[in-house]
Amino acid sequence: LTLMQSGKVDLVINVPDSMDSQALTEGFEIRRAAIDSNTPIIADIKTAILTTMSLHQKWTREKAGRPFWTYKSWQEQVEACGGTDRHEI
């Protein structure tokens, strides 16, 4: 909790795995601290899995020297596909 309050945490993933009172209380404290410190929080298991997979893919691509995102104009995209723009036909 101290790390969150000092701004050293970038993301909190807090998915309850049981519904006992201790887990609910600790989970609430973590989620409340994340909200109070303006730290993004994920509390859904599917979202947590997909986010983790995406971050791993980003890290893997960047480690290999490839950009994670690429931006091309419409014309560059058409040329890359080897086709012509339908307005030029």
Side-chain angles (χ1 to χ4, degrees), residues 26-88:
E26 289 173 356
F28 175 80
E29 290 178 17
I30 292 169
R31 291 187 301 276
R32 183 76 254 170
I35 291 167
D36 291 342
S37 65
N38 203 25
T39 304
I41 182 167
I42 296 174
D44 175 71
I45 189 68
K46 289 180 182 179
T47 305
I49 290 169
L50 291 172
T51 301
T52 304
M53 290 171 60
S54 296
L55 290 172
H56 181 265
Q57 182 181 14
K58 178 182 186 304
W59 177 80
T60 302
R61 288 183 63 88
E62 289 176 348
K63 184 179 176 188
R66 298 185 330 239
F68 183 64
W69 299 104
T70 57
Y71 300 97
K72 295 181 182 177
S73 69
W74 177 253
Q75 184 175 351
E76 291 171 325
Q77 185 66 34
V78 169
E79 289 170 0
C81 294
T84 59
D85 191 345
R86 66 181 179 162
H87 297 288
E88 296 176 3

